[in-house]
Amino acid sequence: MTSHFATPESTSDSRAADIVAPSGVDRRDFLMQLSIIAGGTVIAGCGQGDGTKTDVADLKGVAWSKAPCRYCGTGCGVEVGVKDSKVVAVRGDELSPVNRGLLCAKGYHLPGMLYGEDRLQYPMKRSADGKSFSRISWDEAIALIAEKYREALDKHGPESIAMYGSGQWTVFDGYAAAKWFKGGMKSNNLEANARVCMASAVAGFMTQFQSDEPMGCYDDFEAGHDFFLWGNNMAECHPVLFSRVLENRRKNPSVQIIDIATRWTQTSDFADMFVQIRPGTDLALANAILHLLVAKGHVNASFVEQHITFKRGIEDIEKIGYGCYDEQAERYTFKDEPRDSSLEELEQFLADYTPTKVSEITGVSPAQIEILAELYGNQRRNTVSVWCMGVNQHVRGTWMNNLITDLHLLTGKISRPGNNPFSLTGQPSACGTVREVGTLCDRLPADRTVTKPEHRAETEKLWNLPAGTIPDKPGYHTMDMFRALARGDVKVIWVQTTNPWVSLPNLTRFERKANDDRFIIVSDIYPTPSTAAADLILPSAAWVEREGVFGNTERRTQQWNKLVDPPGEAKEDAWQIVQVAKKMGYDKLFPWPEDDWHKPMFEEYRSFTVGIGKDLASYDQLQAERGLRWPVVNGRETRYRYAAPYDPYVKKPEGVHFYKAKGYGERAALWLRPHHPPAESPDEEYPFWLSTGRVLEHWHTGSMTRRVKQLHQAVPAAYVEIERTDADAIGVTSGDKVRVKSRRGELILAAVVDGRGRPAKGSVFVPFFDEAKQINLLTLDAMDSISKEPDYKKCAVRIEKA
């Protein structure tokens, strides 16, 4: 198969050179090429945390049970082997429709994350002098947390308290937190770290469909012909899903992968077309494609007439700003002001986004832009757009989400097999817990928001609360929450299942101070920089040490049972929350038996979803199945939302119906969004772009994967990728130490030149998994104006030989 393919060293004039792409690779070969075990079973050396292989004969007497993987948002099915009350083995679940028996490197070494030698096992309280921790009982810990929250509420009100969870929370954890905070303490200061990874996707779906989450599903990876990967290193960050795309191409040689990225990655190795784009110019590129779709008659006129409304918001860069700390010391609360627009106004708006002009902005040749538009506009080919953090962690991330979806709305390539915009997620339940349960400062369960009186009333009724209990004002979003903590306005915060002292941008503002009057609680399974900042550390049960429910990227809700006991006195996060709530007198919020509360809690939550197009399967059905994609009506899951005959809420015999978009007359909104420059760009003093991200072997801040021997040995420390001519100019080669410095901080890292990731000239890349090399000391805390998600992908640095 020949296709338009180029290396990072190619000039804009040669990017359309024909080079043979590796199209014949199958799923297992691909996983092996990424140094991943291709199949079978991994035996865990329990007590060592190293995932050591032993003889398969040791599997005799092992009991196997289903569970979803603990790591990313793919939601791979895992069979977990238990023997002598320990998880001793895992294997890919062949009955799982997600991964069909295969796992990635992290998945095959799952047991190791449970058995690190330094697991937290007991509640620990900081000493009066702040220099040490001592063990206390759970009763003491619960009483202390309740006391601190009650004191802050009484003295300073609901804005002085906060809780910060994550997309690693189970549905039970998130639901308990939401009910306690919003229904009990009357505070909307509840956030989760999905704010810093998926909030722009949420805002994108909400602004266009008035309902969150994708309309497509993983079946699109078999049904698609052209796969546009927008700023998404899918081969490393979602390798099992990428293997499905590769298998589709192996069986159907006309399938193409288009990698639109700022650096060459392992995804680029498998792409049919590599489109190297300058950082922060993707908005211009998307508008150029839209320009050509309109100019060349590729608009699906009948679809647009029947199903689309046009919208436009505030575009003045001075009014919007970037939300940096020095720009908005208190809160960043910009609110867009939508107005109606039209197809005619869209044509006028796009007039300036010609391929020639956009090529000057993006570095992408006009010929490549023409090819991209022809692929999107070809009605004989199915088109899937896939994106993740490169689009979401962006100062105009919501706008970029809008524009990618616009490409599908304008062509009518949406809500059909193989034709969808598809946002991938990074955490196992960012969708199921954060987005669906509503553990964000402005949200309530199942697409409800605190700002709408009818939504508050519905929630208060289901929770048996007096009218007016839930505040109508959104709380602090994540960035403002930690700024308020830094100022001392937030007096008490409880962090669970996340590591913000590593993961938040511009970290220097979050250092613990002497004589600190803030009270910080951190629940985790291992010591981290976040537990080091805490006044009280609580040991949590992990993964199959407790019962749980996750919701993955394709709307699949998956349940698992508790299989082993946690170490020491570790407890599941939901139990911790419920016990504190009861200690504070909120018993009525959690009326279920102490020994049998998971099912009734889930069924209460499920009642929020039924009848509105978000219907979850019953708990009994989830226990029996390998997950089901909502809406689940009459026991049947839904592959494609808004589409006949798949979606039971679409009553017409064919076509689409965007029934959730009541405010748009049940039409989808196509937004006009201009190109804006990044918040910070290279200059003479700081001449390089810095981008951050993940690597195959590690997950997020590495607090689990770095304790797995094989994964840690594979990539033991963070590094900085430098383009070869830049390295030559600085006088460094791979392995040399370099100083990476921004306006906010600096690090000394080992250089990697011509590694598996290769940035463009003038750019560097650093992964963020290493607690000892915290790249977020350097990153900028500029954020998206609508989603309030920070931009980790673009700031200015200089590089010096150390």
Side-chain angles (χ1 to χ4, degrees):
M1 173 181 172
T2 51
S3 46
H4 296 286
F5 196 77
T7 68
E9 291 77 26
S10 300
T11 66
S12 60
D13 293 330
S14 64
R15 282 178 185 159
D18 285 335
I19 296 178
V20 177
S23 59
V25 68
D26 68 12
R27 295 184 70 206
R28 289 181 183 273
D29 288 340
F30 161 68
L31 294 175
M32 291 179 71
Q33 287 184 43
L34 292 185
S35 302
I36 301 171
I37 301 167
T41 305
V42 168
I43 317 299
C46 298
Q48 299 300 317
D50 60 3
T52 303
K53 284 187 176 182
T54 58
D55 195 282
V56 175
D58 291 344
L59 292 176
K60 185 177 181 180
V62 170
W64 296 94
S65 301
K66 72 174 177 75
C69 179
R70 172 59 180 80
Y71 292 122
C72 81
T74 298
C76 290
V78 178
E79 287 192 280
V80 183
V82 175
K83 184 178 181 180
D84 299 328
S85 301
K86 295 284 187 180
V87 175
V88 297
V90 293
R91 61 192 182 197
D93 187 351
E94 294 183 358
L95 297 180
S96 169
V98 172
N99 54 308
R100 303 165 183 174
L102 293 181
L103 296 172
C104 77
K106 295 183 288 295
Y108 277 117
H109 291 93
L110 270 166
M113 56 81 69
L114 293 175
Y115 298 115
E117 294 179 354
D118 56 344
R119 272 293 297 268
L120 297 173
Q121 299 189 43
Y122 306 99
M124 304 289 288
K125 180 184 176 184
R126 186 181 291 274
S127 62
D129 63 9
K131 297 180 179 180
S132 62
F133 287 89
S134 59
R135 178 178 168 181
I136 63 174
S137 70
W138 269 108
D139 286 343
E140 291 173 303
I142 290 165
L144 179 60
I145 298 170
E147 174 191 331
K148 291 295 184 180
Y149 271 109
R150 178 56 64 195
E151 180 182 7
L153 280 169
D154 291 344
K155 290 184 178 180
H156 307 287
E159 283 212 349
S160 70
I161 61 172
M163 189 166 198
Y164 189 63
S166 82
Q168 300 160 65
W169 258 346
T170 69
V171 166
F172 303 116
D173 306 331
Y175 188 71
K179 201 172 185 186
W180 172 44
F181 247 72
K182 300 184 180 188
M185 294 189 290
K186 303 180 182 180
S187 174
N188 287 328
N189 282 347
L190 174 66
E191 275 283 284
N193 69 358
R195 174 72 68 181
V196 304
C197 63
M198 292 312 305
S200 294
V202 175
F205 285 120
M206 292 298 293
T207 54
Q208 295 191 277
F209 305 99
Q210 298 193 321
S211 181
D212 187 21
E213 306 243 18
M215 57 290 302
C217 62
Y218 295 163
D219 296 4
D220 285 329
F221 298 135
E222 283 74 46
H225 299 138
D226 298 319
F227 293 89
F228 287 81
L229 310 185
W230 288 87
N232 177 23
N233 183 9
M234 197 175 179
E236 289 198 73
C237 298
H238 296 88
V240 171
L241 296 181
F242 193 57
S243 76
R244 290 179 61 166
V245 177
L246 293 180
E247 183 69 4
N248 180 10
R249 187 176 66 180
R250 185 183 70 83
K251 294 178 178 178
N252 303 286
S254 65
V255 167
Q256 297 185 84
I257 299 169
I258 301 94
D259 182 28
I260 304 171
T262 59
R263 74 188 244 273
W264 185 279
T265 66
Q266 289 193 307
T267 300
S268 314
D269 291 338
F270 292 91
D272 300 283
M273 182 178 182
F274 176 66
V275 181
Q276 186 163 287
I277 186 171
R278 291 180 184 134
T281 64
D282 47 1
L283 291 157
L285 178 61
N287 275 319
I289 299 170
L290 288 167
H291 168 94
L292 289 172
L293 291 176
V294 172
K296 295 196 171 187
H298 291 313
V299 175
N300 188 329
S302 61
F303 185 89
V304 169
E305 182 180 356
Q306 294 177 50
H307 303 296
I308 305 302
T309 186
F310 292 84
K311 296 289 180 181
R312 198 167 182 176
I314 296 174
E315 298 170 4
D316 186 331
I317 196 168
E318 297 298 325
K319 290 182 179 179
I320 298 171
Y322 291 106
C324 297
Y325 188 68
D326 58 355
E327 181 181 322
Q328 293 285 342
E330 293 295 326
R331 302 182 78 157
Y332 181 54
T333 57
F334 169 82
K335 186 176 177 61
D336 203 9
E337 297 176 4
R339 66 170 178 82
D340 291 337
S341 185
S342 64
L343 179 59
E344 292 71 28
E345 188 176 19
L346 175 68
E347 294 175 3
Q348 297 168 8
F349 169 82
L350 294 172
D352 279 342
Y353 291 97
T354 64
T356 300
K357 289 183 179 179
V358 169
S359 180
E360 294 174 359
I361 297 170
T362 63
V364 179
S365 70
Q368 276 198 320
I369 297 173
E370 295 269 0
I371 292 169
L372 299 179
E374 286 299 316
L375 291 174
Y376 267 109
N378 189 339
Q379 292 295 332
R380 296 185 300 276
R381 295 180 63 82
N382 294 344
T383 304
V384 182
S385 299
V386 185
W387 68 96
C388 199
M389 299 308 143
V391 167
N392 293 330
Q393 292 176 339
H394 190 316
V395 290
R396 297 295 182 262
T398 301
W399 287 12
M400 192 58 206
N401 272 264
N402 289 158
L403 290 182
I404 292 173
T405 300
D406 285 355
L407 293 168
H408 289 264
L409 292 175
L410 204 62
T411 56
K413 291 185 171 186
I414 195 166
S415 290
R416 290 189 280 136
N419 281 297
N420 281 299
F422 202 93
S423 165
L424 297 179
T425 50
Q427 297 184 88
S429 204
C431 292
T433 300
V434 180
R435 297 164 69 170
E436 293 164 25
V437 172
T439 59
L440 296 171
C441 67
D442 57 338
R443 288 176 71 85
L444 294 167
D447 278 346
R448 294 172 176 85
T449 63
V450 300
T451 56
K452 293 189 176 181
E454 64 272 24
H455 291 174
R456 296 196 305 276
E458 290 165 358
T459 304
E460 288 161 352
K461 181 179 180 180
L462 287 168
W463 283 348
N464 295 313
L465 299 172
T469 298
I470 299 172
D472 61 358
K473 177 184 175 183
Y476 290 120
H477 57 76
T478 292
M479 298 306 296
D480 278 351
M481 178 179 287
F482 281 87
R483 291 170 180 177
L485 179 67
R487 293 193 306 269
D489 292 344
V490 166
K491 301 298 183 182
V492 184
I493 189 170
W494 189 352
V495 176
Q496 288 190 333
T497 64
T498 188
N499 192 7
W501 268 259
V502 176
S503 62
L504 291 179
N506 198 357
L507 274 170
T508 52
R509 293 184 290 101
F510 303 126
E511 294 176 352
R512 190 175 183 84
K513 302 174 182 177
N515 302 315
D516 208 321
D517 66 346
R518 301 167 296 180
F519 193 79
I520 300 169
I521 310 117
V522 177
S523 299
D524 213 322
I525 64 174
Y526 288 112
T528 68
S530 297
T531 63
D535 297 283
L536 181 63
I537 302 170
L538 301 179
S540 291
W543 193 38
V544 294
E545 294 169 350
R546 43 84 54 87
E547 190 170 341
V549 172
F550 283 159
N552 80 346
T553 300
E554 65 165 348
R555 296 173 280 109
R556 184 180 299 276
T557 311
Q558 302 186 81
Q559 185 274 348
W560 74 93
N561 294 325
K562 178 181 176 180
L563 303 180
V564 296
D565 289 328
E569 296 178 2
K571 304 286 187 182
E572 69 174 285
D573 296 290
W575 180 90
Q576 298 174 25
I577 295 166
V578 170
Q579 296 308 308
V580 172
K582 289 182 175 180
K583 188 71 174 179
M584 294 182 70
Y586 302 119
D587 305 62
K588 292 182 179 179
L589 293 176
F590 306 99
W592 311 295
E594 289 278 345
D595 60 348
D596 186 24
W597 52 271
H598 291 91
K599 178 178 176 179
M601 178 186 281
F602 182 86
E603 290 298 337
E604 179 184 279
Y605 162 57
R606 177 174 172 256
S607 67
F608 280 91
T609 72
V610 174
I612 62 169
K614 306 279 286 189
D615 314 50
L616 297 178
S618 71
Y619 202 68
D620 288 340
Q621 190 173 10
L622 291 176
Q623 285 185 306
E625 302 278 358
R626 258 60 174 184
L628 291 165
R629 293 169 289 198
W630 59 260
V632 179
V633 178
N634 297 324
R636 297 181 61 182
E637 68 175 2
T638 299
R639 293 169 63 206
Y640 294 97
R641 297 177 76 194
Y642 312 128
Y646 305 98
D647 190 333
Y649 284 87
V650 175
K651 303 305 180 184
K652 60 185 188 179
E654 60 182 17
V656 301
H657 178 198
F658 298 114
Y659 56 86
K660 294 290 287 183
K662 305 295 185 186
Y664 299 153
E666 301 189 354
R667 291 167 170 256
L670 191 152
W671 285 83
L672 285 63
R673 301 295 198 187
H675 166 66
H676 276 185
E680 183 177 86
S681 296
D683 55 20
E684 187 174 343
E685 185 177 5
Y686 297 94
F688 289 88
W689 287 106
L690 167 66
S691 180
T692 69
R694 279 172 46 190
V695 295
L696 172 70
E697 294 82 0
H698 289 293
W699 194 71
H700 284 203
T701 63
S703 58
M704 292 181 287
T705 52
R706 292 184 75 215
R707 286 171 169 86
V708 178
K709 180 180 179 180
Q710 287 85 351
L711 300 178
H712 177 63
Q713 287 180 337
V715 185
Y719 51 85
V720 54
E721 295 175 356
I722 307 176
E723 190 267 343
R724 172 161 292 281
T725 60
D726 288 332
D728 290 344
I730 298 167
V732 299
T733 60
S734 286
D736 290 345
K737 299 295 184 182
V738 299
R739 178 177 288 103
V740 184
K741 186 172 183 178
S742 77
R743 291 177 173 84
R744 292 154 293 281
E746 63 180 67
L747 279 179
I748 294 178
L749 297 163
V752 173
V753 182
D754 290 340
R756 65 186 183 194
R758 287 171 278 163
K761 183 175 174 58
S763 295
V764 298
F765 172 86
V766 179
F768 71 92
F769 69 85
D770 190 347
E771 293 177 348
K773 300 289 185 181
Q774 295 187 28
I775 191 58
N776 283 321
L777 291 167
L778 282 68
T779 50
L780 182 67
D781 57 352
M783 70 185 87
D784 177 77
S785 60
I786 298 172
S787 70
K788 309 304 188 289
E789 179 170 347
D791 189 335
Y792 293 85
K793 304 301 182 181
K794 298 176 288 295
C795 72
V797 297
R798 68 171 178 259
I799 310 295
E800 305 164 347
K801 190 170 184 178

